[in-house]
Amino acid sequence: MQNPFDDVAPPPPHRGFSPDFCGLRMTVGVVLATQLLGISLILASHCRVAEVWGRLGPMSLFMLIFSLLACGVLCAFRPLLRRVGDRTAALLAWLILMAVAALVTWGAYAFPQETLRVHVFPDEGLAVILGRSLGISAILGGMLLRYLYLHHLWRLQVEAEAEARFQKLQARIRPHFLFNSMNTIANLTQTNPRVAEEVVQDLADLFRATLANANSASTLAKELELSYRYLNIEKQRLGDRLQVLWDVEDLPGDAILPPLILQPLVENAVYHGIAASRRPGLIRISGRYRRAQVNVSVRNSLPEEDEQGEGHTGGNHIALDNVKQRMAAMFEGEARVIVSRVEGDYQVRLVFPYPWQRK
């Protein structure tokens, strides 16, 4: 299988503390949080019930302007925040929030329409209003940035655990697969030297992939090619017992993925579905790209309950758990790994966004 995307350079990972206020999810979250804060301030005030509805509109407008402007300024300063240390970035973001709060408060107070100022800041001078607004912004802004920093540390921990799992996966190529491959190559050198050379090249590519850096993202085309080479090796060993159906023409080959993410699923399909059975089995590798989502599935037939094949033992889901955690670490909750039974077959689906860029 040819890989037309060899020149695609995945973006390097960034580990600094720089909340993505440019993203839609973050902006919507900030807007909703400030709106709830404005409603809480109105309800906690001493105004009469009849005045609540009249003050909600101006307060909602004030909070909307503040949240959108704050997100816009923090988004504009994000390149700077990414170049400094975590504490400096947090302090600068907090000071930016203070400046935006002061600017919006002064603008609301100086607004020509008296109704807006009266309903948002009733019967108070500019100094008192600025002091109260900055005090609230300082406390809530600090709490928000503290939460985002703790979330950042959690993400680093998830990525570190995913890297450790990847290193463990690198070291766990099943010994029986290596021995069987070497035996296959030895036999082919006498019967079909050309095929033996292809198997040696495929095996070399597999081991080259296991030596990859966990921080170096791969592409879907590379992962499919690696799976193809793995199945080519197993095909020489299992012969007609292994049937493979490919349906991946609709997939974007330059979609970013963690390295060595698809081959473990294919290996499990061979080990638990084909090698464990005395009858021929089928592995289907298919995929679709719809609505900015890539859906790749690995589906394999299963042996009968009374069948025993090649010293097969039940799995412990190490590879599957590995795949789930590394997908979660890369896509930050935007990817899914779905395990299901389809018409008696075992199926694992990877669903992830495309196009996608690491934040």
Side-chain angles (χ1 to χ4, degrees):
M1 179 182 297
Q2 297 296 320
N3 180 6
F5 303 102
D6 284 334
D7 296 332
V8 175
H14 172 69
R15 294 176 177 269
F17 174 59
S18 55
D20 184 20
F21 288 95
C22 304
L24 179 61
R25 293 173 59 183
M26 178 69 76
T27 302
V28 171
V30 172
V31 169
L32 290 178
T34 55
Q35 291 296 320
L36 291 175
L37 172 62
I39 294 174
S40 301
L41 291 176
I42 294 296
L43 295 178
S45 64
H46 298 290
C47 64
R48 294 189 299 270
V49 176
E51 299 176 351
V52 170
W53 292 108
R55 297 184 61 185
L56 278 178
M59 179 62 77
S60 177
L61 178 61
F62 173 81
M63 289 298 185
L64 180 63
I65 295 174
F66 167 74
S67 58
L68 292 179
L69 184 59
C71 288
V73 175
L74 288 171
C75 175
F77 276 89
R78 195 182 185 210
L80 172 63
L81 300 178
R82 292 167 68 97
R83 293 196 296 266
V84 299
D86 290 352
R87 293 184 179 180
T88 304
L91 177 60
L92 288 176
W94 184 80
L95 291 176
I96 290 173
L97 288 177
M98 294 296 96
V100 172
L103 178 63
V104 175
T105 301
W106 176 83
Y109 186 85
F111 195 72
Q113 293 293 331
E114 184 73 14
T115 303
L116 177 63
R117 180 174 66 84
V118 170
H119 282 83
V120 178
F121 310 112
D123 302 328
E124 293 179 327
L126 178 60
V128 176
I129 292 172
L130 280 175
R132 178 177 295 182
S133 178
L134 290 177
I136 295 174
S137 300
I139 295 173
L140 295 181
M143 292 174 60
L144 172 63
L145 292 174
R146 176 61 178 174
Y147 165 77
L148 293 175
Y149 181 69
L150 292 177
H151 184 267
H152 166 71
L153 294 180
W154 174 76
R155 293 299 314 172
L156 291 182
Q157 181 179 359
V158 170
E159 292 179 4
E161 292 177 357
E163 182 176 353
R165 284 178 174 267
F166 176 74
Q167 293 173 354
K168 182 178 180 180
L169 182 65
Q170 287 178 314
R172 72 171 284 274
I173 288 187
R174 290 192 175 102
H176 82 272
F177 166 69
L178 177 59
F179 297 149
N180 290 336
S181 298
M182 298 304 294
N183 289 333
T184 300
I185 293 171
N187 294 330
L188 287 172
T189 54
Q190 300 177 2
T191 61
N192 196 333
R194 183 185 61 80
V195 176
E197 182 180 356
E198 292 180 1
V199 174
V200 170
Q201 292 176 352
D202 292 339
L203 189 61
D205 288 337
L206 278 174
F207 274 93
R208 187 179 299 112
T210 64
L211 298 176
N213 188 344
N215 292 326
S216 300
S218 181
T219 63
L220 180 55
K222 292 179 180 179
E223 294 302 302
L224 289 172
E225 181 178 358
L226 191 65
S227 300
Y228 177 85
R229 293 185 178 276
Y230 170 80
L231 288 171
N232 187 47
I233 296 174
E234 292 288 39
K235 179 67 175 177
Q236 301 304 322
R237 180 173 67 91
L238 297 172
D240 293 338
R241 289 171 56 193
L242 173 58
Q243 303 295 325
V244 183
L245 178 62
W246 294 87
D247 182 15
V248 294
E249 291 78 10
D250 188 43
L251 295 177
D254 59 342
I256 301 300
L257 276 175
L260 208 61
I261 201 72
L262 192 58
Q263 185 272 339
L265 301 180
V266 176
E267 183 179 355
N268 274 359
V270 172
Y271 182 69
H272 296 291
I274 310 303
S277 175
R278 294 187 295 268
R279 299 178 298 110
L282 176 64
I283 294 178
R284 297 180 178 91
I285 301 177
S286 59
R288 294 291 182 270
Y289 173 56
R290 298 288 187 274
R291 299 178 182 177
Q293 292 281 321
V294 176
N295 190 319
V296 182
S297 69
V298 178
R299 174 179 171 182
N300 62 273
S301 57
L302 293 172
E304 299 294 337
E305 295 182 0
D306 60 344
E307 285 186 304
Q308 299 292 333
E310 302 186 9
H312 174 269
T313 59
N316 52 12
H317 303 288
I318 293 178
L320 187 58
D321 292 341
N322 186 305
V323 169
K324 288 181 178 179
Q325 185 160 7
R326 291 197 291 129
M327 290 289 287
M330 168 167 279
F331 293 103
E332 302 182 357
E334 298 182 32
R336 292 174 293 158
V337 180
I338 305 170
V339 180
S340 61
R341 291 290 185 96
V342 180
E343 298 177 352
D345 293 347
Y346 185 84
Q347 178 177 269
V348 180
R349 288 195 297 130
L350 304 181
V351 183
F352 55 94
Y354 173 83
W356 177 85
Q357 186 174 6
R358 184 184 290 270
K359 298 177 181 180

